[in-house]
Amino acid sequence: MTTQPIGQGMAPDFLLEIENLTVSFDGFKAVNDLSLYVDKNEIRVIIGPNGAGKTTVLDLICGRTKATSGSIRFKGQELTRLSENKIVLAGVGRKFQTPSIYDDLTVFENLEISYPRGRTVFGALTFRRDAQVIERIEEIAEMIFLSDRLHERGEFLSHGQKQWLEIGMLLIQDPELLMLDEPVAGMSVTERVKTAELLNRIIKDRSVLVIEHDMKFVEDIAHRVTVLHQGKVLSEGSMERVQNDPKVIEVYLGH
Ligand code: ADP
Ligand code: MG
């Protein structure tokens, strides 16, 4: 419960509120006084040139990198003081650029070890496979287009299927904020279309923060787009708005 009075300066009910966030690496500000607000049920895409600070923003949110100053509030809770593990438990899931699934486990087993009951591989593999767990795994497998590959080992999946499986491993933990770093890099056109469909389906219950370069994909998923440049917000708004922003064309889209 908030005890703040309603009135001037009272923020609306955002899921994620980043304010004046800065991180300095030996004096270089990779993220520089950044403020960013993500709504509930929103798909926000962050775009921007290489080195703009996009991945660093996700690192800061998930606690992998500690902020030099500023604030990151998730459902009103300050994340900058929490460990990575506590941030996951608070409801933030993050997928890195390269898929990190277990090659020698099946799709089913990969999802099973990600089920929130078992936190370690050992614990997860030895708990009873009750009907509820199996049902949830099947539900997720269907969502990520892998129903017919449930008993295939990870190593035999295509690159795109591995990416979906990793998204599924996050979804099974039911995060309220899902963060994805370039999820469609290396995917075929068909896989990109299906990934857009997947993200549009899962935001019923959560918000998604995506870093992406593929403009067609961004157009298919983004509710709003934030353009980062030198650790700051260069432009923000609808895809149409940022695409037509001369500043964005100059530093990013014009290339
Ligand atoms: P993007 O994802 O937008 O391409 P990054 O967030 O990866 O950009 O990097 C932003 C800038 O911060 C780059 O100049 C990068 O070299 C620098 N940087 C990122 N992480 C570190 C770190 N741990 N130490 C020093 N510099 C870093
Ligand atoms: Mg990056």
Side-chain angles (χ1 to χ4, degrees):
M1 281 294 289
T2 173
T3 52
Q4 256 182 297
I6 295 174
Q8 204 198 347
M10 177 72 181
D13 207 9
F14 290 111
L15 184 73
L16 181 73
E17 301 162 293
I18 298 177
E19 283 177 338
N20 309 112
L21 188 67
T22 297
V23 67
S24 174
F25 298 119
D26 299 321
F28 170 73
K29 290 176 176 171
V31 172
N32 190 356
D33 200 29
L34 177 80
S35 294
L36 183 83
Y37 303 87
V38 179
D39 261 324
K40 289 176 181 155
N41 311 104
E42 180 184 351
I43 302 182
R44 174 70 58 92
V45 182
I46 301 180
I47 63 172
N50 281 331
K54 304 181 297 295
T55 298
T56 305
V57 170
L58 298 201
D59 288 344
L60 286 162
I61 297 168
C62 76
R64 191 180 218 218
T65 296
K66 287 293 164 201
T68 306
S69 60
S71 153
I72 304 169
R73 282 188 308 277
F74 175 69
K75 298 198 291 176
Q77 184 183 17
E78 183 60 50
L79 296 187
T80 50
R81 288 188 285 269
L82 298 185
S83 67
E84 270 190 90
N85 199 33
K86 287 268 166 56
I87 293 171
V88 171
L89 293 175
V92 178
R94 191 257 177 98
K95 187 193 163 315
F96 291 89
Q97 261 169 284
T98 42
S100 57
I101 60 158
Y102 297 94
D103 273 343
D104 51 345
L105 298 183
T106 65
V107 169
F108 185 98
E109 288 163 344
N110 268 284
L111 291 171
E112 187 178 36
I113 59 159
S114 307
Y115 192 85
R117 267 205 286 173
R119 286 278 157 204
T120 65
V121 173
F122 182 77
L125 289 178
T126 52
F127 79 68
R128 206 162 51 87
R129 281 179 184 173
D130 61 31
Q132 195 194 336
V133 179
I134 294 171
E135 194 184 320
R136 181 77 178 135
I137 290 171
E138 285 172 350
E139 189 188 338
I140 296 287
E142 164 123 45
M143 211 182 280
I144 58 174
F145 317 107
L146 292 177
S147 284
D148 57 351
R149 309 299 299 273
L150 261 180
H151 301 291
E152 188 77 85
R153 277 160 54 140
E155 65 185 308
F156 299 119
L157 300 176
S158 72
H159 169 77
Q161 289 172 327
K162 285 182 185 177
Q163 299 277 14
W164 291 336
L165 176 54
E166 200 180 359
I167 293 173
M169 291 163 75
L170 291 167
L171 284 176
I172 205 162
Q173 300 177 37
D174 210 16
E176 279 179 74
L177 176 66
L178 181 65
M179 305 196 290
L180 308 169
D181 201 343
E182 302 190 19
V184 299
M187 280 190 183
S188 69
V189 174
T190 317
E191 287 173 333
R192 285 170 196 229
V193 170
K194 287 172 89 172
T195 306
E197 199 184 301
L198 168 64
L199 297 188
N200 280 312
R201 252 189 276 147
I202 63 170
I203 43 120
K204 264 198 296 155
D205 311 310
R206 71 197 89 248
S207 303
V208 181
L209 187 54
V210 191
I211 295 174
E212 198 41 74
H213 286 292
D214 182 304
M215 284 304 131
K216 175 70 180 71
F217 181 72
V218 176
E219 206 173 337
D220 285 348
I221 62 164
H223 297 168
R224 269 176 282 188
V225 178
T226 298
V227 187
L228 271 198
H229 180 51
Q230 297 177 343
K232 287 176 176 293
V233 175
L234 180 72
S235 185
E236 194 168 78
S238 66
M239 178 71 173
E240 200 194 338
R241 187 190 150 142
V242 301
Q243 262 182 325
N244 292 304
D245 184 336
K247 295 194 301 280
V248 178
I249 294 166
E250 189 190 329
V251 309
Y252 185 55
L253 294 177
H255 295 253

